[in-house]
Amino acid sequence: MILAFQTGKGSTDNLLKDFAEKTSNSKYCVFDHEKYLRDYPSPSGVLKNPTYQNADLHWPDLINTSPEDQITAYMFWGFMRGTKSIYDMAIRRNKDFIFLDHAYIYHKKHSIYQKNLAHNPYFRMVKNNFVLTTINDTDDTKLLKMREQFKKGDELDILPWKKNGSYILVIPPSYWLCSWLNIEPEELMKQSIDEIRKHTDREIKIRYKKPNNQYNTTPLEEDIDSAWAVVSFQSSVAVRAINRGIPSFLMKPGYSVSEPMSLTDLSKIETPYYPDNRYEWLSSICNNQFLKHEIADGSALEYINEHN
């Protein structure tokens, strides 16, 4: 049985609920609403959607299951709202976990999403990881379909490698993922910058997603295009950079979809990697983004099981 967990975020909850209703041997697990309202009181006494990002949700079905229930996997959305307890349970019980989150490409908040582009209906879904870290399917059918769908955008274009950039663009690690991994994000960034400075005298420029708690108003491509290289932990900014011809380095391996196109040895910052298979990599990324109905009817999970 696959357990799919509610987190109090309407659209994603509906997606997981649809999955549980349309696939056999699956169950939609609701969090304890009464406990939530006790822990996070609402003046109206009514559960509001979405729930607080920092909420520590409690799922009775997570605790009250036994070997007889034959749980095969735990399915959940994102790093917020206490979902780490679901992940921890999967690891503790040696079960699969199925992680869902925003798409790698054309995620409307974290990319250069333009209002005149088509609505992005894709989501990422990964089994036993948080992102795809390999190239597993180079069929370009979906890539070509997405290029047509988003023909007013350019995130799926692949530009020639640029080798005349000036500064190193550093993307700070995600607080949420780092908290899951017991990593201090500021310390990881400091260690990475210190290592970079041992091997180059180039300017280091840090791009924060939310300086002063507001989304960065400097266009992403403006920061990317003059960079010698981009250094990140898990950010999808690296995908954007690689496609625009800027080489990528990772602070740690294992957590970025850009890993097949990146170096993890920061001592090589002056000799970046310029792979010649970006088209195949981009095809693989597109194949691992799924439409709502593909997730709900189980075909996305079938695809992932086949390609894992």
Side-chain angles (χ1 to χ4, degrees), residues 66-244:
S66 65
E68 290 74 27
D69 294 316
Q70 297 184 333
I71 307 302
T72 57
Y74 298 82
M75 187 177 193
F76 58 94
W77 175 280
F79 297 108
M80 302 176 186
R81 301 175 175 89
T83 52
K84 187 175 187 299
S85 63
I86 304 171
Y87 166 77
D88 288 342
M89 184 66 77
I91 299 302
R92 187 156 59 247
R93 292 181 173 175
N94 196 29
K95 302 296 182 182
D96 292 329
F97 69 90
I98 302 159
F99 180 83
L100 294 95
D101 211 322
H102 298 291
Y104 300 112
I105 298 170
Y106 281 123
H107 169 31
K108 61 184 177 182
K109 282 189 177 180
H110 301 303
S111 72
I112 59 156
Y113 192 88
Q114 303 292 327
K115 290 182 179 179
N116 61 347
L117 291 178
H119 170 64
N120 181 8
Y122 293 95
F123 301 90
R124 80 175 188 258
M125 189 165 85
V126 194
K127 184 176 179 181
N128 296 330
N129 209 333
F130 309 119
V131 295
L132 179 73
T133 58
T134 61
I135 300 173
N136 67 3
D137 182 4
T138 59
D139 185 294
D140 66 355
T141 303
K142 187 179 279 190
L143 168 59
L144 297 176
K145 176 183 176 181
M146 289 183 66
R147 279 183 171 174
E148 177 62 25
Q149 181 180 5
F150 296 105
K151 57 187 175 184
K152 292 183 179 179
D154 63 356
E155 287 197 28
L156 294 169
D157 295 343
I158 299 176
L159 304 183
W161 288 112
K162 300 174 183 176
K163 302 181 180 181
N164 58 352
S166 57
Y167 52 80
I168 312 297
L169 183 63
V170 174
I171 309 299
S174 160
Y175 163 80
W176 293 102
L177 177 56
C178 285
S179 67
W180 274 47
L181 302 173
N182 295 316
I183 294 173
E184 173 53 52
E186 291 294 333
E187 182 59 26
L188 175 59
M189 187 166 70
K190 180 181 181 302
Q191 290 173 356
S192 300
I193 290 174
D194 287 347
E195 181 64 20
I196 292 168
R197 283 179 172 150
K198 292 178 183 177
H199 306 283
T200 185
D201 58 2
R202 294 179 187 272
E203 175 192 357
I204 295 176
K205 183 175 183 177
I206 302 173
R207 179 184 170 91
Y208 291 95
K209 185 164 71 175
K210 283 188 174 183
N212 302 316
N213 209 32
Q214 298 291 326
Y215 276 106
N216 199 321
T217 57
T218 302
L220 177 58
E221 63 269 55
E222 185 177 311
D223 279 341
I224 288 175
D225 287 349
S226 297
W228 168 256
V230 169
V231 178
S232 65
F233 179 38
Q234 87 304 324
S235 177
S236 60
V237 170
V239 177
R240 185 75 173 127
I242 292 165
N243 287 342
R244 293 185 71 83

